[in-house]
Protein backbone atom coordinates (compact mmCIF):
# COMPACT_ATOMS: atom_id res chain seq x y z
CA UNK A 1 0.00 0.00 0.00
CA UNK A 2 1.27 3.47 -0.85
CA UNK A 3 0.81 6.39 1.48
CA UNK A 4 0.30 9.82 0.02
CA UNK A 5 2.51 12.51 1.53
CA UNK A 6 0.53 15.22 3.28
CA UNK A 7 0.46 18.64 1.66
CA UNK A 8 3.07 21.06 3.10
CA UNK A 9 0.70 24.07 2.93
CA UNK A 10 -2.80 22.73 3.65
CA UNK A 11 -3.55 21.34 7.12
CA UNK A 12 -6.68 19.16 7.44
CA UNK A 13 -8.46 19.46 10.77
CA UNK A 14 -11.78 17.69 11.23
CA UNK A 15 -14.21 18.91 8.59
CA UNK A 16 -12.01 21.83 7.58
CA UNK A 17 -8.66 22.77 6.08
CA UNK A 18 -6.36 25.50 7.38
CA UNK A 19 -4.01 27.52 5.17
CA UNK A 20 -2.01 30.69 5.62
CA UNK A 21 -1.38 33.16 2.81
CA UNK A 22 1.36 35.80 2.88
CA UNK A 23 0.35 38.80 0.78
CA UNK A 24 2.73 40.00 -1.91
CA UNK A 25 2.69 43.74 -1.12
CA UNK A 26 3.03 43.96 2.66
CA UNK A 27 3.90 40.39 3.62
CA UNK A 28 0.95 40.19 6.03
CA UNK A 29 0.05 36.59 6.86
CA UNK A 30 -3.66 35.78 6.77
CA UNK A 31 -4.94 32.48 8.26
CA UNK A 32 -7.89 30.93 6.44
CA UNK A 33 -10.31 28.16 7.35
CA UNK A 34 -11.94 26.26 4.50
CA UNK A 35 -15.03 24.23 5.41
CA UNK A 36 -15.29 20.86 3.67
CA UNK A 37 -19.06 20.87 4.15
CA UNK A 38 -19.95 24.31 2.78
CA UNK A 39 -17.07 25.77 0.74
CA UNK A 40 -15.90 22.98 -1.60
CA UNK A 41 -17.61 23.02 -5.00
CA UNK A 42 -17.92 19.68 -6.83
CA UNK A 43 -16.17 19.31 -10.20
CA UNK A 44 -15.80 16.39 -12.63
CA UNK A 45 -12.41 15.53 -11.08
CA UNK A 46 -13.22 16.23 -7.42
CA UNK A 47 -13.65 19.56 -5.65
CA UNK A 48 -12.57 23.19 -6.00
CA UNK A 49 -12.44 26.24 -3.76
CA UNK A 50 -11.64 29.88 -4.56
CA UNK A 51 -11.25 32.49 -1.83
CA UNK A 52 -10.70 36.20 -2.25
CA UNK A 53 -8.52 37.38 0.64
CA UNK A 54 -8.36 40.90 2.05
CA UNK A 55 -5.67 41.23 4.71
CA UNK A 56 -7.22 42.91 7.77
CA UNK A 57 -4.35 45.31 8.57
CA UNK A 58 -2.85 46.24 5.19
CA UNK A 59 -5.99 45.63 3.08
CA UNK A 60 -3.80 43.76 0.54
CA UNK A 61 -5.76 41.46 -1.75
CA UNK A 62 -4.96 37.94 -2.87
CA UNK A 63 -6.88 35.08 -4.47
CA UNK A 64 -6.42 31.48 -3.32
CA UNK A 65 -7.51 28.50 -5.44
CA UNK A 66 -7.23 24.86 -4.41
CA UNK A 67 -8.24 21.79 -6.39
CA UNK A 68 -8.97 18.48 -4.61
CA UNK A 69 -9.47 14.92 -5.85
CA UNK A 70 -12.65 12.94 -5.13
CA UNK A 71 -11.29 11.93 -1.73
CA UNK A 72 -10.80 15.64 -0.86
CA UNK A 73 -6.99 15.44 -1.04
CA UNK A 74 -5.11 18.44 -2.41
CA UNK A 75 -4.13 18.08 -6.07
CA UNK A 76 -3.12 21.63 -7.03
CA UNK A 77 -2.91 25.11 -5.45
CA UNK A 78 -2.48 28.63 -6.78
CA UNK A 79 -2.27 32.05 -5.15
CA UNK A 80 -2.50 35.31 -7.06
CA UNK A 81 -1.10 38.29 -5.15
CA UNK A 82 0.64 36.24 -2.50
CA UNK A 83 2.08 32.88 -1.51
CA UNK A 84 1.16 29.99 0.73
CA UNK A 85 3.06 29.77 4.02
CA UNK A 86 4.38 26.22 4.71
CA UNK A 87 2.88 24.57 7.82
CA UNK A 88 6.37 24.15 9.31
CA UNK A 89 6.67 27.98 9.45
CA UNK A 90 3.40 28.49 11.37
CA UNK A 91 4.02 29.63 14.91
Amino acid sequence: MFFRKSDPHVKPEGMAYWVRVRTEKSGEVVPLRISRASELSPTAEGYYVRKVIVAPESLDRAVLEIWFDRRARVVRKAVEGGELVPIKEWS
Side-chain angles (χ1 to χ4, degrees), residues 23-37:
T23 62
E24 201 171 77
K25 289 182 181 178
S26 70
E28 184 176 349
V29 175
V30 181
L32 299 167
R33 181 183 183 276
I34 300 167
S35 169
R36 289 178 68 169

Side-chain angles (χ1 to χ4, degrees), residues 34-50:
I34 300 167
S35 169
R36 289 178 68 169
S38 64
E39 293 186 275
L40 298 185
S41 300
T43 67
E45 298 81 28
Y47 301 95
Y48 169 79
V49 66
R50 179 179 189 270

Side-chain angles (χ1 to χ4, degrees), residues 3-59:
F3 292 98
R4 189 174 183 141
K5 187 177 178 181
S6 61
D7 188 273
H9 300 101
V10 181
K11 182 178 180 182
E13 189 174 283
M15 288 299 293
Y17 298 99
W18 284 94
V19 298
R20 293 188 182 185
V21 174
R22 180 179 295 116
T23 62
E24 201 171 77
K25 289 182 181 178
S26 70
E28 184 176 349
V29 175
V30 181
L32 299 167
R33 181 183 183 276
I34 300 167
S35 169
R36 289 178 68 169
S38 64
E39 293 186 275
L40 298 185
S41 300
T43 67
E45 298 81 28
Y47 301 95
Y48 169 79
V49 66
R50 179 179 189 270
K51 282 201 162 233
V52 176
I53 302 154
V54 178
E57 293 178 24
S58 63
L59 301 180

